Amino acid sequence: MRVVIAEDNALLRQGLVLLLTSAGHEVLAEVGSGPEVLPAILEHRPDAAVLDVRMPPGFRDEGLRAALEAREQIPGLPVLVLSQYVEESYAAELLGGGASGVGYLLKDRIGRVDEFLDALERVAAGGTALDPEVVAELLIRRRDSPLDSLTPREREVLKLMAEGHDNTMIAKTLVVTDRSVSKHIGNVFLKLGLPPTDSGHRRVLAVLAYLNNQ
């Protein structure tokens, strides 16, 4: 996989380069400020971009803005955004509009190498990858909604769906059958007023779109 990295912390940036190259990926460019991001992405046209949300010069949302602009100019560009904290509005903006090939992870997740690489590969393949803590925040903050009608098991399934897991992984995690997972997913969509579908990231984005517009 060909990757562009945008991270202002030099130590973390070099750590990402080492991690990705060790896993057999090619780092095409590494930049440390917001204004450098878009030119690097447009020049190299990577298979995926890994970007910090907050970057110089303002340390606000330069990385996110660059990611959104890059996806406008290169439709479908896979982007994995990293953040120090759960920032719900950023996650919602990145995932809005039925986007695919996007991810939002907390930086702590990088230390769990297998999880990080799996998330990046999932995003590069057009799927989604959401940090479990981000999903938890989205679910917790939505009250007095159809989510209240979900059973505890349906909430567990929804949470795992939103993280980007497929039916087989959900079944394995919850120690149930694939058929049982499919049934729970059907119930979730029925209760949320969304058409059921088995198409990977689209079902996740449908749930997130619903949550983000409450």
Side-chain angles (χ1 to χ4, degrees), residues 120-175:
L120 179 58
E121 289 168 7
R122 195 186 310 154
V123 167
T128 58
L130 284 185
D131 195 287
E133 290 189 35
V134 175
V135 176
E137 285 290 323
L138 290 172
L139 292 175
I140 289 170
R141 295 184 188 186
R142 267 59 184 186
R143 299 177 179 177
D144 300 323
S145 76
L147 287 174
D148 297 334
S149 66
L150 300 183
T151 66
R153 177 63 85 187
E154 288 164 357
R155 280 177 173 269
E156 286 180 305
V157 170
L158 175 58
K159 182 174 182 293
L160 290 169
M161 285 169 58
E163 289 172 20
H165 299 297
D166 60 19
N167 287 20
T168 300
M169 182 57 68
I170 293 173
K172 193 174 297 183
T173 301
L174 299 179
V175 194

Side-chain angles (χ1 to χ4, degrees), residues 71 91-104 122-123 126-130 138 158 160-165 189 192 194-195 197 199-213:
R71 283 176 63 88
E93 186 160 5
L94 181 67
L95 292 159
S100 61
V102 294
Y104 186 103
R122 195 186 310 154
V123 167
T128 58
L130 284 185
L138 290 172
L158 175 58
L160 290 169
M161 285 169 58
E163 289 172 20
H165 299 297
F189 279 110
L192 296 183
L194 296 167
T197 175
S199 56
H201 66 272
R202 291 178 184 171
R203 65 182 187 178
V204 176
L205 293 171
V207 173
L208 290 174
Y210 176 86
L211 295 176
N212 289 334
N213 284 284

Side-chain angles (χ1 to χ4, degrees), residues 18-203:
L18 180 61
L19 189 160
L20 291 172
T21 54
S22 297
H25 302 304
E26 179 184 2
V27 176
L28 302 173
E30 46 178 292
V31 300
S33 69
E36 297 177 277
V37 177
L38 187 60
I41 290 176
L42 293 179
E43 176 184 352
H44 295 284
R45 304 271 168 161
D47 299 318
V50 179
L51 309 101
D52 187 7
V53 167
R54 299 185 177 191
M55 298 186 70
F59 291 98
R60 288 178 293 187
D61 60 357
E62 288 83 356
L64 177 69
R65 293 284 153 230
L68 294 173
E69 189 171 350
R71 283 176 63 88
E72 284 185 8
Q73 298 199 36
I74 307 177
L77 171 72
V79 171
L80 179 59
V81 171
L82 305 176
S83 180
Q84 191 68 43
Y85 311 102
V86 177
E87 298 174 283
E88 184 185 352
S89 60
Y90 292 160
E93 186 160 5
L94 181 67
L95 292 159
S100 61
V102 294
Y104 186 103
L105 296 183
L106 296 184
K107 289 187 177 181
D108 290 347
R109 198 68 52 184
I110 298 172
R112 304 173 188 180
V113 176
D114 290 341
E115 289 185 30
F116 173 73
L117 291 175
D118 177 69
L120 179 58
E121 289 168 7
R122 195 186 310 154
V123 167
T128 58
L130 284 185
D131 195 287
E133 290 189 35
V134 175
V135 176
E137 285 290 323
L138 290 172
L139 292 175
I140 289 170
R141 295 184 188 186
R142 267 59 184 186
R143 299 177 179 177
D144 300 323
S145 76
L147 287 174
D148 297 334
S149 66
L150 300 183
T151 66
R153 177 63 85 187
E154 288 164 357
R155 280 177 173 269
E156 286 180 305
V157 170
L158 175 58
K159 182 174 182 293
L160 290 169
M161 285 169 58
E163 289 172 20
H165 299 297
D166 60 19
N167 287 20
T168 300
M169 182 57 68
I170 293 173
K172 193 174 297 183
T173 301
L174 299 179
V175 194
V176 298
T177 65
D178 285 357
R179 183 176 179 180
S180 179
V181 170
S182 295
K183 182 178 178 180
H184 287 310
I185 290 173
N187 289 339
V188 167
F189 279 110
L190 182 64
K191 291 180 179 180
L192 296 183
L194 296 167
T197 175
D198 290 322
S199 56
H201 66 272
R202 291 178 184 171
R203 65 182 187 178

